[in-house]
Amino acid sequence: MPSFMLKKIVLGNFSSGPVDPVMADAIDFMVDRLESLGQSELASRLTLNCQNSYVEPHKIRDIPVTIMDVFDQSALSTEAKEEMYKLYPSARRAHLKTGGNFPYLCRSAEVNLYVQIHLLQFHGTKYAAIDPSMVSAEELEVQKGNLGLSQEEQ
């Protein structure tokens, strides 16, 4: 398929209605990145994105999972989100009021906080994202305090 058709497919999933300025900047950034991709790169990314793949939930039952979701419009259908919740019933849920398709760009502070909270459970284990000697006890307390504030805001 020609590049312009592939780009049209991707752009069709972006929000077209009014959005706040930060979300508009995130969409503009992604449109710019999309324009920089050649036909073969875009085709391969769309192929990977659209391939039917499935992780058998029972095989990762003992692995902590956090599902991050937005309450506003995104490319994932409500049915797909509900199915994911059913497949991972013990997963923690990290909800953002807004964020659209790119919460990691337009709500980066909130996304980073949820990632840090998820990774806290691995602190001091062989799965830690950072060498335990590099994190002070004070820093851990701050992160735990942020977790309490984040949950109260919602």
Side-chain angles (χ1 to χ4, degrees):
M1 218 184 269
S3 181
F4 76 92
M5 292 291 287
L6 295 173
K7 289 176 183 176
K8 185 177 178 181
I9 291 170
V10 174
L11 291 173
N13 287 322
F14 289 0
S15 296
S16 58
V19 294
D20 69 56
V22 178
M23 287 181 63
D25 288 344
I27 292 170
D28 288 345
F29 174 78
M30 292 308 294
V31 169
D32 287 343
R33 297 302 306 146
L34 181 65
E35 292 297 326
S36 72
L37 295 176
Q39 189 276 340
S40 61
E41 288 176 302
L42 185 54
S44 64
R45 290 179 186 208
L46 282 172
T47 300
L48 285 174
N49 190 50
C50 297
Q51 277 185 335
N52 190 12
S53 58
Y54 181 75
V55 175
E56 297 176 23
H58 66 278
K59 290 187 176 180
I60 63 168
R61 183 178 349 178
D62 298 329
I63 299 174
V65 174
T66 299
I67 299 172
M68 197 170 307
D69 193 7
V70 295
F71 288 131
D72 61 350
Q73 182 184 7
S74 69
L76 279 180
S77 68
T78 303
E79 295 80 20
K81 292 177 185 183
E82 292 301 322
E83 185 66 24
M84 187 167 31
Y85 295 148
K86 288 178 191 172
L87 291 172
Y88 302 99
S90 60
R92 289 181 176 176
R93 295 185 188 182
H95 294 288
L96 302 168
K97 292 178 185 174
T98 60
N101 290 317
F102 312 109
Y104 48 90
L105 293 176
C106 60
R107 302 291 181 255
S108 59
E110 294 170 68
V111 169
N112 286 334
L113 181 64
Y114 281 126
V115 170
Q116 289 174 356
I117 291 166
H118 176 78
L119 293 175
L120 267 178
Q121 62 193 313
F122 301 107
H123 183 71
T125 71
K126 66 180 181 179
Y127 304 111
I130 189 169
D131 183 3
S133 64
M134 297 177 71
V135 180
S136 68
E138 179 182 324
E139 197 172 341
L140 275 177
E141 289 304 314
V142 168
Q143 291 300 327
K144 289 177 183 175
N146 286 341
L147 170 59
L149 287 175
S150 176
Q151 288 177 342
E152 290 172 8
E153 289 173 0
Q154 294 179 4

